[in-house]
Amino acid sequence: MRVALVIEKMDPARGGREASTAEVALALARRGCNVTILCQSAAWQVPGVRVRPLGKHGAGRTRRLSNFAKQVTTEVHRGTYDVVHTTLPIPGADVYQLRSGTTPAVWQATLRRRGQLHRSAAAFARSCNIYRWYLARMERQVVAQRRTYCLAVSQMVANELAHYFGRREGVRVVYNAVARSGRNDRQWRALRQQQRTALRLRREDPLFITVAK
């Protein structure tokens, strides 16, 4: 199977969607898929995965995104790939994976964190932000395509797709996973005790760990 993964930048050292895209690419390659990553720029090479930078064309971020979307769309129409998986809302993709909330939900969350005066100023600023407006329009187009599967990172994002776009079918929740290391239980117990000792915790003291950024 020929699979295209679409992302603006491909540099796994940046973390986030770049790192997860690299993990998906490697997992698909190990399963025998012919994987190509279509991006504007790249700083990653690995055996078994073809990374194809299409370049940055145009002045300004909006123009570059528009041109990149057109380049990817051209690739899709050529029938070069069996499956096109994108983390950007590019029309024509088979799979659209949202790495955070939907565009309207993210915007509403931003407004809720601000006072009335700041909300008014933010609303005006958003109306002038051509890039965000263009991204939101692309997302509406992608979600409206019933042939495109939408992958949500949580049930909350799946609910956002239903609330803002009326999209319920063809939506799957795919939670972020954690890759387990090769340590066995004995090694984990030793590591836990090492950390508890460093924190000067007694045997009966509870310890809660939260993963956050």
Side-chain angles (χ1 to χ4, degrees):
M1 178 177 290
R2 301 163 300 173
V3 180
L5 302 177
V6 183
I7 189 169
E8 278 184 284
K9 298 179 181 179
M10 190 55 206
D11 182 5
R14 291 164 51 92
R17 68 179 64 193
E18 287 92 342
S20 64
T21 298
E23 292 173 352
V24 170
L26 290 172
L28 290 173
R30 284 195 295 267
R31 286 163 172 77
C33 295
N34 186 342
V35 183
T36 299
I37 296 178
L38 301 176
C39 55
Q40 290 180 328
S41 60
W44 189 60
Q45 290 183 347
V46 65
V49 177
R50 179 189 180 200
V51 181
R52 186 181 171 194
L54 300 179
K56 296 181 179 181
H57 305 287
R61 191 179 181 187
T62 304
R63 178 56 59 185
R64 288 194 294 269
L65 175 61
S66 173
N67 290 334
F68 178 59
K70 291 176 182 177
Q71 288 176 294
V72 173
T73 301
T74 299
E75 288 288 323
V76 173
H77 288 164
R78 286 174 180 168
T80 308
Y81 307 102
D82 300 307
V83 176
V84 177
H85 175 292
T86 178
T87 58
L88 289 169
I90 295 182
D94 299 293
V95 180
Y96 171 40
Q97 184 173 13
L98 295 88
R99 297 300 301 159
S100 60
T102 60
T103 301
V106 170
W107 171 243
Q108 289 300 321
T110 300
L111 291 181
R112 286 194 296 270
R113 292 194 295 267
R114 305 186 178 191
Q116 182 59 48
L117 180 61
H118 287 168
R119 283 198 294 268
S120 300
F124 176 75
R126 183 174 186 264
S127 66
C128 300
N129 192 320
I130 300 176
Y131 177 80
R132 289 186 178 275
W133 175 86
Y134 182 74
L135 197 64
R137 189 184 74 171
M138 289 175 63
E139 187 172 72
R140 286 195 300 271
Q141 292 175 340
V142 171
V143 177
Q145 296 174 339
R146 298 298 170 178
R147 62 176 290 272
T148 302
Y149 275 94
C150 296
L151 303 185
V153 74
S154 66
Q155 186 58 52
M156 181 184 73
V157 177
N159 293 339
E160 292 173 6
L161 288 167
H163 176 73
Y164 291 104
F165 302 106
R167 183 66 187 269
R168 294 176 176 82
E169 295 183 358
V171 176
R172 300 291 184 271
V173 177
V174 179
Y175 296 104
N176 287 330
V178 176
R180 296 186 61 183
S181 70
R183 292 188 176 94
N184 56 38
D185 290 341
R186 180 180 58 80
Q187 291 171 320
W188 278 117
R189 285 195 297 271
L191 180 60
R192 283 197 294 269
Q193 186 55 50
Q194 178 183 339
Q195 295 299 318
R196 292 179 67 84
T197 300
L199 295 171
R200 299 181 179 178
L201 295 174
R202 296 172 300 177
R203 188 180 184 85
E204 65 273 15
D205 290 337
L207 175 61
F208 299 93
I209 299 177
T210 301
V211 179
K213 180 178 179 182

